[in-house]
Amino acid sequence: MGKKIKKEAEPPPKDVLPRNLQRLNTMGAAGNLYFDPLTIESKKVATVVLMLNSPEEEILAKACEAIYRFALKGEENKATLLELGAVEPLTKLLTHEDKIVRRNATMILGILASNNDVKKLLRELDVMSSVIAQLAPEEEVLIHEFATLCLANMSAEYTSKVQIYEHGGLEPLIRLLASPDPDVKKNSIECIYNLAQDFQCRAMLQELNAIPSILDLLKSEYPIIQLLALKTLGVITNDKEARAMLRDNQGVDHLIKVLETKELNDLHTEALSVMANCLEDMDTLVLIQQTGILKKLLSFAENSTIPDIQKNAAKAITKAAYDPEIRKLFHEQEVEKCLVALLGSENDGTKIAACQAISVMCENSGSKEFFNNQGIPQLIQLLKSDSEEVREAAALALANLTTCNTANVIAAAEADGIDPLINILSSNRDGAIANAATVLANMAMQEPLRVKMQNHDVMHALLGPLCSANTVVQSKAALMVATTACDVEARTELRNSGGLEPLVELLCSKNDEVRRHASWAVMVCANDELMAVELFRLGALDILEEINLSVSRKNKFSEAAYNKLLNNYLSLKYSLTGYLSSSNIINDGFYDYGRINPGTKLLPLKDLCLQEPSDLRAVLLVNSKSSDVSPPASMEDKSSDIGYGRSISSSSSLRRVSKEKTNYPFSTRSGSPTEDKLEPTSGRNTAVSKSTTKEKGSSLLKLHRRKFLLPPLGENSGHFDQPYSPPDALILNQKQQPPAGHLKVHPCAVVIVE
């Protein structure tokens, strides 16, 4: 085959090029180069999002319309638009010159702002100023609607609240409360309500005189707008200045009209909340009382069939009654009758609110007397409620009613309140336990009621509260012990129930009130020697001594408890201090162990009996009981014993003696003060001890021995093998001598048992 030759391109016909040039020249002369219109149908949202970057207004407007319809279909579509990056170009369109584009972009952002992720991105893009700019008066209503919707959605977040406040968004929002469009009003008041949660915004609302505009919304025919207006007023009127502004703008009249309209019963709860704030203002309250509005409010609350209304009414009374002057005014208006009626409500929330109101109102003496006849029986019944919250609230009311009021204490007891109150001590709620313990402590001030409480096993019921981890419960439980453990039987029951151990532990509490009440309780419990000895064994004396050394921790009760423990455990006091005061009367069982150092444990008498004889100094024991068996005695012995057998029954039997320590041979502890002048010839600490150690079953001290007059050593050696009890205590006059064959006793000293 021959070689192929490339064919050259043929030039266009000579008439074509001149025609094209002529057309271009004609277009250039017209100055208008354009592309023929192109209609595009897209079923992909991503394609439409790309159109948001177009420079053509018509494309932007139509793309925004399509995206708006897409966003309205649900949260999933909003998330899709966020993922496709539609938010950022939309924020740029808020400042577009074309009003339609600007309007459509605002509508989309208003819808998208309900999505949390979109809100977060909008905060990062800092578009708040652009959105607030859409609230300008010259903008159309539709832009106002969606711009306020965007702000309402954004204002739920604290950071957005700050941005709205800093960009001056409050003023245009207040202005739009007068908009003819209900949607604009609704969005504006919702945004203001969210902003009002911040105190700076509340102060700004007062400066901008927003209350009259908000009150006008109560006349709206749309319940949602009225509800938001009432909620906003409820927040704003927490401030005193706002309450004064509300009063000056006849706000109370607006609220009463709402309450008197039965068709608006779904708004009554919020209206009462605003009224509750108004009642805290004395001037407003006087105005309400003078105009008869207060009577209407009480009647409205008492007769209402809506539990929330009754509950809020009781809460309003509670909130306002903290002021003494308002309490007095409430008492004059017989608020107590309304509260007693509310106690009979079937709704637990209403009962609780009424109990709380009573607990505050009884701070007024007149109210406390009123509830003596009406109210206390109903409260006692509420103590048996199935609801623990109701029981706690009823116990709180009774605690305040019975404090410093004997008549109410008796009324509570006569209404059979002791048993349910004791049952509450085992409740799971610390508040209920503390309140019940307070009531029982108030009752225990009356001796007949205290006896009744003991018959209901109250000391055993206190074990749980004493072991509680709650400091309030601990304090009230210790206080209750202090008021109920006044009798020996009650103290014995407390000891047998194991209540002393946790009580002593409360002395170590870091809480001042717990420590004070625990010290008081220990002081009361130490009223007899058995309890004092047990408390000493548990370490109460050491703890109290440590407390009293601290300037910040000690209190009057801790000092009194320490002294009470010593004064009712004279053996310990004598061993620690070396002397007894004139008011200390020793009885049977008193023993002198010898001087001990602070912090050293003094063994009880029973433990000393179990010890084997040693070279330590003997223990002095007082036992004035008559002997059942006595050894044969001569006539001379009988005649010489007449002046010796007296029991020690007064403080004169043991006076203060030298406090100097006397060390005996082979002794490891200090000597007794009573032995400072003992004759050294007696040799009791060594000779007697050494001889008695040879006897089977012998000991330093045996509680079951009653013989004092011992035969001379070496005689009747088998006598020590027989049971015996502590000897009688004798006082020998200085001029008298002991009977022959008996141990010699120092004048005015307690006898020694070996």
CSV table of all heavy atoms in Angstrom, one decimal, residues 691-692 694-698 702 704-705 707 710-724:
chain,number,residue,atom,x,y,z
A,691,SER,N,2.8,-13.1,153.2
A,691,SER,CA,2.2,-14.2,153.9
A,691,SER,C,1.0,-14.7,153.2
A,691,SER,O,0.7,-15.9,153.1
A,691,SER,CB,2.0,-13.9,155.3
A,691,SER,OG,1.0,-12.9,155.4
A,692,THR,N,0.2,-13.8,152.7
A,692,THR,CA,-1.1,-14.1,152.1
A,692,THR,C,-0.8,-14.8,150.7
A,692,THR,O,-1.7,-15.5,150.2
A,692,THR,CB,-2.0,-12.9,151.9
A,692,THR,OG1,-1.2,-11.9,151.2
A,692,THR,CG2,-2.4,-12.4,153.2
A,694,LYS,N,1.0,-17.1,150.2
A,694,LYS,CA,1.2,-18.5,150.4
A,694,LYS,C,-0.1,-19.2,150.5
A,694,LYS,O,-0.2,-20.4,150.5
A,694,LYS,CB,2.1,-18.7,151.7
A,694,LYS,CG,3.4,-18.1,151.6
A,694,LYS,CD,4.2,-18.3,152.9
A,694,LYS,CE,5.5,-17.6,152.8
A,694,LYS,NZ,6.3,-17.8,154.1
A,695,GLU,N,-1.2,-18.5,150.8
A,695,GLU,CA,-2.5,-19.1,151.0
A,695,GLU,C,-3.2,-19.3,149.6
A,695,GLU,O,-3.2,-18.5,148.8
A,695,GLU,CB,-3.3,-18.2,151.8
A,695,GLU,CG,-2.7,-17.9,153.2
A,695,GLU,CD,-2.5,-19.1,154.0
A,695,GLU,OE1,-3.3,-20.1,153.8
A,695,GLU,OE2,-1.6,-19.1,154.9
A,696,LYS,N,-3.7,-20.5,149.5
A,696,LYS,CA,-4.4,-20.9,148.3
A,696,LYS,C,-5.7,-20.0,148.1
A,696,LYS,O,-6.5,-20.0,149.0
A,696,LYS,CB,-4.8,-22.4,148.3
A,696,LYS,CG,-5.5,-22.9,147.0
A,696,LYS,CD,-5.8,-24.3,147.1
A,696,LYS,CE,-6.5,-24.8,145.9
A,696,LYS,NZ,-6.8,-26.3,146.0
A,697,GLY,N,-5.9,-19.5,146.9
A,697,GLY,CA,-7.1,-18.7,146.6
A,697,GLY,C,-7.1,-17.3,147.2
A,697,GLY,O,-8.1,-16.7,147.2
A,698,SER,N,-6.0,-16.9,147.8
A,698,SER,CA,-6.0,-15.5,148.4
A,698,SER,C,-5.8,-14.5,147.3
A,698,SER,O,-5.4,-14.8,146.3
A,698,SER,CB,-4.8,-15.4,149.4
A,698,SER,OG,-3.6,-15.6,148.8
A,702,LYS,N,-11.1,-9.2,148.0
A,702,LYS,CA,-12.2,-10.0,147.6
A,702,LYS,C,-13.5,-9.4,148.0
A,702,LYS,O,-13.8,-9.0,149.1
A,702,LYS,CB,-12.1,-11.4,148.3
A,702,LYS,CG,-10.9,-12.2,147.8
A,702,LYS,CD,-10.9,-13.6,148.4
A,702,LYS,CE,-9.7,-14.4,147.8
A,702,LYS,NZ,-9.9,-14.8,146.4
A,704,HIS,N,-16.4,-10.7,148.1
A,704,HIS,CA,-17.4,-11.5,148.9
A,704,HIS,C,-17.0,-11.6,150.3
A,704,HIS,O,-17.6,-12.4,151.1
A,704,HIS,CB,-17.6,-12.8,148.2
A,704,HIS,CG,-16.3,-13.6,148.0
A,704,HIS,ND1,-15.5,-13.3,146.9
A,704,HIS,CD2,-15.7,-14.5,148.7
A,704,HIS,CE1,-14.4,-14.1,146.9
A,704,HIS,NE2,-14.5,-14.8,148.0
A,705,ARG,N,-15.9,-11.0,150.8
A,705,ARG,CA,-15.6,-11.1,152.2
A,705,ARG,C,-16.2,-9.9,153.0
A,705,ARG,O,-16.2,-8.8,152.5
A,705,ARG,CB,-14.0,-11.0,152.3
A,705,ARG,CG,-13.6,-11.1,153.8
A,705,ARG,CD,-12.1,-11.0,153.9
A,705,ARG,NE,-11.7,-11.2,155.3
A,705,ARG,CZ,-10.5,-11.0,155.7
A,705,ARG,NH1,-9.5,-10.6,154.9
A,705,ARG,NH2,-10.2,-11.2,157.0
A,707,LYS,N,-15.7,-9.8,156.6
A,707,LYS,CA,-15.1,-9.7,157.9
A,707,LYS,C,-14.0,-8.7,157.8
A,707,LYS,O,-13.2,-8.6,156.9
A,707,LYS,CB,-14.4,-11.0,158.3
A,707,LYS,CG,-15.4,-12.1,158.6
A,707,LYS,CD,-16.4,-11.8,159.8
A,707,LYS,CE,-15.6,-11.7,161.0
A,707,LYS,NZ,-16.4,-11.3,162.2
A,710,LEU,N,-9.5,-9.1,161.4
A,710,LEU,CA,-8.7,-10.3,161.0
A,710,LEU,C,-8.0,-10.8,162.2
A,710,LEU,O,-7.5,-10.1,163.1
A,710,LEU,CB,-7.7,-9.9,159.9
A,710,LEU,CG,-8.2,-9.3,158.6
A,710,LEU,CD1,-7.1,-8.9,157.7
A,710,LEU,CD2,-9.1,-10.3,158.0
A,711,PRO,N,-7.9,-12.1,162.3
A,711,PRO,CA,-7.1,-12.7,163.4
A,711,PRO,C,-5.6,-12.4,163.2
A,711,PRO,O,-5.2,-12.1,162.0
A,711,PRO,CB,-7.4,-14.2,163.3
A,711,PRO,CG,-7.8,-14.4,161.9
A,711,PRO,CD,-8.5,-13.1,161.5
A,712,PRO,N,-4.8,-12.5,164.2
A,712,PRO,CA,-3.4,-12.3,164.0
A,712,PRO,C,-2.9,-13.3,162.9
A,712,PRO,O,-3.4,-14.4,162.7
A,712,PRO,CB,-2.8,-12.6,165.4
A,712,PRO,CG,-3.9,-12.4,166.3
A,712,PRO,CD,-5.2,-12.8,165.6
A,713,LEU,N,-1.8,-12.8,162.2
A,713,LEU,CA,-1.3,-13.6,161.2
A,713,LEU,C,-0.7,-14.9,161.8
A,713,LEU,O,-0.1,-14.9,162.8
A,713,LEU,CB,-0.1,-12.9,160.5
A,713,LEU,CG,-0.5,-11.6,159.7
A,713,LEU,CD1,0.7,-10.9,159.2
A,713,LEU,CD2,-1.5,-12.0,158.6
A,714,GLY,N,-0.9,-16.0,161.1
A,714,GLY,CA,-0.5,-17.3,161.5
A,714,GLY,C,-1.6,-18.1,162.2
A,714,GLY,O,-1.5,-19.3,162.3
A,715,GLU,N,-2.7,-17.4,162.7
A,715,GLU,CA,-3.8,-18.1,163.3
A,715,GLU,C,-4.9,-18.3,162.3
A,715,GLU,O,-5.1,-17.5,161.4
A,715,GLU,CB,-4.3,-17.2,164.5
A,715,GLU,CG,-3.3,-17.0,165.6
A,715,GLU,CD,-3.9,-16.2,166.7
A,715,GLU,OE1,-5.2,-16.1,166.7
A,715,GLU,OE2,-3.2,-15.8,167.6
A,716,ASN,N,-5.5,-19.5,162.4
A,716,ASN,CA,-6.6,-19.8,161.5
A,716,ASN,C,-6.2,-19.7,160.1
A,716,ASN,O,-6.8,-18.9,159.3
A,716,ASN,CB,-7.9,-19.0,161.8
A,716,ASN,CG,-8.4,-19.2,163.2
A,716,ASN,OD1,-8.2,-20.3,163.8
A,716,ASN,ND2,-8.9,-18.1,163.8
A,717,SER,N,-5.1,-20.3,159.7
A,717,SER,CA,-4.6,-20.1,158.4
A,717,SER,C,-5.5,-20.5,157.3
A,717,SER,O,-5.5,-20.0,156.2
A,717,SER,CB,-3.2,-20.8,158.2
A,717,SER,OG,-3.4,-22.2,158.5
A,718,GLY,N,-6.4,-21.4,157.6
A,718,GLY,CA,-7.4,-21.9,156.6
A,718,GLY,C,-8.5,-20.9,156.4
A,718,GLY,O,-9.4,-21.1,155.6
A,719,HIS,N,-8.6,-19.9,157.2
A,719,HIS,CA,-9.7,-18.9,157.2
A,719,HIS,C,-9.8,-18.2,155.8
A,719,HIS,O,-10.9,-17.9,155.3
A,719,HIS,CB,-9.6,-17.9,158.3
A,719,HIS,CG,-10.6,-16.8,158.3
A,719,HIS,ND1,-11.9,-17.1,158.6
A,719,HIS,CD2,-10.6,-15.5,157.9
A,719,HIS,CE1,-12.6,-16.0,158.5
A,719,HIS,NE2,-11.8,-15.0,158.1
A,720,PHE,N,-8.6,-18.0,155.2
A,720,PHE,CA,-8.6,-17.2,153.9
A,720,PHE,C,-9.2,-18.1,152.8
A,720,PHE,O,-9.4,-17.6,151.7
A,720,PHE,CB,-7.2,-16.7,153.6
A,720,PHE,CG,-6.8,-15.7,154.5
A,720,PHE,CD1,-6.0,-15.9,155.6
A,720,PHE,CD2,-7.2,-14.4,154.3
A,720,PHE,CE1,-5.6,-14.9,156.4
A,720,PHE,CE2,-6.8,-13.3,155.1
A,720,PHE,CZ,-6.0,-13.6,156.2
A,721,ASP,N,-9.2,-19.4,153.0
A,721,ASP,CA,-9.8,-20.2,151.9
A,721,ASP,C,-11.3,-20.1,151.8
A,721,ASP,O,-11.9,-20.6,150.9
A,721,ASP,CB,-9.4,-21.7,152.1
A,721,ASP,CG,-7.9,-21.9,152.0
A,721,ASP,OD1,-7.3,-21.0,151.2
A,721,ASP,OD2,-7.3,-22.8,152.5
A,722,GLN,N,-11.9,-19.6,152.8
A,722,GLN,CA,-13.4,-19.5,152.9
A,722,GLN,C,-13.8,-18.2,152.3
A,722,GLN,O,-13.1,-17.2,152.3
A,722,GLN,CB,-13.8,-19.6,154.3
A,722,GLN,CG,-13.4,-20.9,155.0
A,722,GLN,CD,-13.8,-20.9,156.4
A,722,GLN,OE1,-14.5,-20.0,156.9
A,722,GLN,NE2,-13.4,-22.0,157.1
A,723,PRO,N,-15.0,-18.1,151.6
A,723,PRO,CA,-15.5,-16.9,151.0
A,723,PRO,C,-15.6,-15.8,152.1
A,723,PRO,O,-16.0,-16.0,153.2
A,723,PRO,CB,-16.9,-17.3,150.5
A,723,PRO,CG,-16.8,-18.8,150.4
A,723,PRO,CD,-15.9,-19.3,151.5
A,724,TYR,N,-15.2,-14.6,151.6
A,724,TYR,CA,-15.3,-13.4,152.5
A,724,TYR,C,-15.6,-12.2,151.7
A,724,TYR,O,-15.5,-12.2,150.4
A,724,TYR,CB,-14.1,-13.3,153.4
A,724,TYR,CG,-12.8,-13.0,152.6
A,724,TYR,CD1,-12.4,-11.7,152.3
A,724,TYR,CD2,-12.1,-14.1,152.1
A,724,TYR,CE1,-11.3,-11.5,151.5
A,724,TYR,CE2,-10.9,-13.9,151.4
A,724,TYR,CZ,-10.5,-12.6,151.1
A,724,TYR,OH,-9.4,-12.4,150.4
